[in-house]
Amino acid sequence: MAEKEHTIVPGQPGKCELEYTSIETISDTVSALRASFDVGTMRDVGFRKQQLRALLKGLREDKKDLLDAMYYDLHKSHDEGLYAEYNAVEFEIGQYLDNMDKWLKPNKNALAMEQPAFLLSKSEVRKEPLGVVVIIGAWNYPLRLMMLPAIGAIAAGNTVVLKPSELSPHTALAVESLVTRCMDESVVRVVQGGVTETTVLLKEKFDHYFYTGSGSVGKIVARAAAEHLSGITLELGGKSPAIVHADVSDLVPTATRIMWSKLANSGQTCVATDYLLVHRSVKDKLVPLLVEAVTGMYGKSPRESPDYGRIVNARHWNRIMDMLAATEGTQIAVTNDVPDESELYIPPIIVDGVRPDDALMNDELFGPILPIITYDTLDEAIGLVNSRDQPLSLYVFAKSDSAEAVLSHTRSGVATVNDTMFSLASQTNPFGGVGPSGVGRYHGKFSLDTFSHHRLIMKRPLWFPTPGVDSIRGPPFTGNANSWKTKLGRQLVYPRLWSLSDSVLGKLATLIPFWRLLATIPGFVRALIQSKPIVQCKNN
Ligand code: NAD
């Protein structure tokens, strides 16, 4: 059994003995879920719904335990635990129960009219389960990062292994208790553990690997998936910037929204504002407002605030303090509180005059420190963003033309204008990174897409085209008697469209209703004339 890292509990000094799964049993766990999938346990959508209803019931019964667990792990207040995690999970189950029949319906795609080969054929795209999937979660939002993907995976008809983060042991235990008590073990099972257990787990074959956490472990997960040529979703992080431009319309909500994202969960949020890029003309007005925003939310001593979180463990506390010690920027007094390792407490800290090559600008901060870089032109700010990896999120506070200039010249997983983090709460939109900030997306209907195979089913009549015409598909192609095949075959499957030619007539054709269909006719007629009559093939 691996060494456990959770000796200090930020919310309460009570020790949490999270029992790690014995590595000898991991393979059996996965095999059992595979056998369950193979016998068709998840085929019935009614059964999937019943499992989600059971999860909802258990979630409600365990509400206090779950909120307490997050408080013990991260000093996350019950209110923050509710709105950032519990409510999101409850809402997601509701969304699925309301919509999954509709979302699972096959898409009946029309076959292109201009491809005559598909006349009398039908096609649809069915969302089918992938098989057995593994969901590996991170510690910072330990309930939602486990349950939101799990809901989509189950609704899509997969069986699921959940692997909560060992760094939030209380919630890991609470999630296990919820799942094992309320849900069928033929549907979902929990593996607990650290690196050793996860390494053994990743040796198993899964049909999809869903991972939330750091990019370095993301690569390990991607390698494991590559061994089986299975799909991956990687929900990673990065340095998400907020740009405040000269033409921002109101600095007060701007300051509040930036500090809200910086300090929620003590800065340990994947879409927290990591650093601030501010135009020189508004910087001096914005900085005091940032300080005011802190005291407005957490009082003069955030340490005394029931709403202010703690750093998850001593390793991360020291990591953040080391970066702070190395900065060449200037710390601005925000509160009189000082960092305290015994409580894993770091107060909100704003660092001004930071240069792009400062120690605070190397890695994702994942703590309550806000570095400020001042810029003179929007191009300079855009250049700074583009000189780094694509972030998970990007925030821009500016009038719409400037905001659009930023959006159209940068890349990021998601982006929000005049706010922060809210994109994460929108469960009718896809959430995910790009490049080093992630692969794939989820939330709501998009989770269903992630955990499904979109299987094209095409149905064609055997009697059409008639055998003579149908012989067009295959050899022999050579000889005079068969020259009609290639000429007409092209027009049947991939007709030459007028629009492919640069003629004025071709361009005019695009103005006519059903032009694509009409556009095939001349080529079709030409091919008919050029080819020997089709009857000829019957005489062959
Ligand atoms: P973590 O330490 O909890 O690790 C995540 C998971 O990986 C855990 O279950 C852990 O057991 C497992 N793991 C750790 N080391 C491993 C190894 N060597 N081999 C196999 N498995 C291993 O979380 P973390 O990595 O500290 O997460 C923080 C990062 O996650 C930040 O970068 C943050 O931005 C990102 N994050 C992203 C999202 C998102 O939705 N995109 C959400 C939360 C966090």
Side-chain angles (χ1 to χ4, degrees):
M1 192 176 285
E3 201 181 310
K4 296 181 185 179
E5 209 175 334
H6 50 274
T7 46
I8 302 176
V9 180
Q12 196 163 293
K15 269 199 171 165
C16 170
E17 280 312 322
L18 176 66
E19 204 170 309
Y20 285 4
T21 304
S22 136
I23 51 177
E24 287 78 35
T25 64
I26 289 176
S27 188
D28 290 346
T29 297
V30 181
S31 301
L33 286 170
R34 186 162 297 285
S36 158
F37 180 81
D38 288 346
V39 298
T41 307
M42 301 299 284
R43 221 170 276 150
D44 177 19
V45 175
F47 175 69
R48 301 179 203 171
K49 281 192 197 161
Q50 180 254 314
Q51 287 294 299
L52 292 181
R53 274 194 212 96
L55 176 64
L56 179 63
K57 183 168 173 288
L59 186 81
R60 287 173 171 166
E61 286 164 1
D62 290 3
K63 184 174 184 174
K64 185 173 178 310
D65 291 348
L66 290 162
L67 294 174
D68 281 349
M70 290 187 276
Y71 182 72
Y72 299 151
D73 283 332
L74 292 151
H75 203 276
K76 193 173 279 191
S77 73
H78 277 202
D79 291 310
E80 198 169 306
L82 266 176
Y83 78 71
E85 305 219 39
Y86 180 92
N87 290 345
V89 176
E90 197 183 51
F91 180 83
E92 187 84 334
I93 299 174
Q95 265 211 115
Y96 268 95
L97 291 175
D98 285 350
N99 294 305
M100 63 189 272
D101 285 328
K102 185 172 70 195
W103 290 344
L104 281 166
K105 262 209 187 116
N107 289 341
K108 304 228 184 233
N109 292 335
L111 287 156
M113 284 198 297
E114 63 270 35
Q115 290 184 282
F118 297 112
L119 209 66
L120 301 183
S121 300
K122 285 182 185 158
S123 75
E124 64 181 37
V125 178
R126 293 183 189 166
K127 286 178 192 154
E128 300 196 343
L130 297 167
V132 189
V133 303
V134 63
I135 297 172
I136 303 174
W139 49 266
N140 58 337
Y141 287 84
L143 178 63
R144 71 177 285 151
L145 297 179
M146 274 287 96
M147 300 321 297
L148 288 189
I151 292 162
I154 291 164
N158 303 281
T159 54
V160 182
V161 174
L162 294 177
K163 162 56 189 77
S165 174
E166 73 281 17
L167 302 191
S168 45
H170 292 89
T171 318
L173 202 58
V175 164
E176 182 179 1
S177 153
L178 165 69
V179 164
T180 48
R181 195 183 79 254
C182 302
M183 302 185 76
D184 205 296
E185 65 170 5
S186 64
V187 174
V188 54
R189 294 191 187 194
V190 177
V191 168
Q192 299 283 16
V195 176
T196 309
E197 290 73 12
T198 317
T199 305
V200 172
L201 183 64
L202 287 175
K203 292 219 168 86
E204 296 294 321
K205 174 185 161 54
F206 290 98
D207 299 294
H208 193 85
Y209 296 70
F210 188 105
Y211 168 79
T212 304
S214 65
S216 53
V217 178
K219 287 179 191 169
I220 296 174
V221 176
R223 267 182 232 120
E227 278 303 310
H228 303 289
L229 296 177
S230 297
I232 46 165
T233 305
L234 300 177
E235 293 288 332
L236 310 176
K239 286 181 89 63
S240 298
I243 298 175
V244 179
H245 194 48
D247 59 3
V248 59
S249 55
D250 191 342
L251 284 173
V252 176
T254 299
T256 306
R257 292 170 186 200
I258 289 170
M259 289 321 287
W260 167 65
S261 82
K262 181 82 257 184
L263 300 179
N265 205 25
S266 225
Q268 302 165 111
T269 304
C270 56
V271 287
T273 299
D274 187 275
Y275 64 99
L276 177 59
L277 291 166
V278 57
H279 190 266
R280 196 172 299 282
S281 65
V282 287
K283 210 261 320 255
D284 288 345
K285 284 184 223 130
L286 179 65
V287 170
L289 293 172
L290 294 171
V291 176
E292 265 176 46
V294 177
T295 42
M297 285 185 284
Y298 297 102
K300 290 226 165 348
S301 171
R303 184 178 190 148
E304 304 305 321
S305 165
D307 297 320
Y308 192 74
R310 297 295 183 269
I311 304 306
V312 68
N313 59 25
R315 178 166 59 88
H316 279 285
W317 189 90
N318 282 300
R319 177 186 60 79
I320 298 166
M321 293 307 295
D322 287 350
M323 285 192 288
L324 197 58
T327 179
E328 290 180 5
T330 312
Q331 281 193 40
I332 290 170
V334 179
T335 78
N336 291 328
D337 288 355
V338 290
D340 179 353
E341 187 175 1
S342 71
E343 263 197 40
L344 298 180
Y345 174 72
I346 299 181
I349 293 170
I350 298 174
V351 185
D352 195 7
V354 169
R355 291 158 43 104
D357 58 357
D358 190 84
L360 292 177
M361 292 303 293
N362 291 337
D363 297 314
E364 183 179 359
L365 295 172
F366 231 50
I369 302 170
L370 183 68
I372 301 180
I373 297 178
T374 310
Y375 68 83
D376 291 299
T377 65
L378 200 53
D379 282 347
E380 192 187 334
I382 290 169
L384 278 165
V385 172
N386 288 339
S387 67
R388 319 186 62 89
D389 286 342
Q390 302 94 297
L392 182 57
S393 195
L394 182 146
Y395 308 118
V396 50
F397 294 82
K399 288 245 161 64
S400 61
D401 283 355
S402 309
E404 206 44 60
V406 172
L407 296 177
S408 57
H409 289 90
T410 55
R411 289 176 295 167
S412 64
V414 294
T416 309
V417 176
N418 290 335
D419 210 330
T420 55
M421 296 212 299
F422 251 91
S423 41
L424 188 69
S426 158
Q427 276 168 239
T428 49
N429 278 300
F431 177 78
V434 59
S437 58
V439 177
R441 61 208 64 78
Y442 76 129
H443 283 182
K445 170 177 179 298
F446 299 92
S447 301
L448 197 75
D449 291 341
T450 287
F451 287 108
S452 302
H453 168 60
H454 295 215
R455 185 181 187 194
L456 167 65
I457 311 283
M458 185 172 282
K459 294 181 180 167
R460 291 175 53 78
L462 266 178
W463 55 268
F464 180 85
T466 52
V469 180
D470 204 27
S471 72
I472 202 168
R473 69 175 64 229
F477 293 115
T478 48
N480 257 357
N482 295 308
S483 67
W484 67 277
K485 285 188 178 179
T486 39
K487 284 179 185 136
L488 207 58
R490 177 190 177 131
Q491 287 307 121
L492 284 173
V493 187
Y494 300 118
R496 185 170 290 141
L497 302 173
W498 282 350
S499 49
L500 288 176
S501 73
D502 256 345
S503 69
V504 178
L505 207 60
K507 298 290 168 260
L508 279 177
T510 63
L511 303 174
I512 307 168
F514 301 113
W515 68 272
R516 291 179 72 89
L517 181 64
L518 295 174
T520 67
I521 294 173
F524 201 71
V525 171
R526 194 171 350 131
L528 265 176
I529 294 167
Q530 284 175 357
S531 55
K532 303 273 181 243
I534 298 165
V535 267
Q536 196 175 335
C537 78
K538 286 189 177 162
N539 302 332
N540 275 351

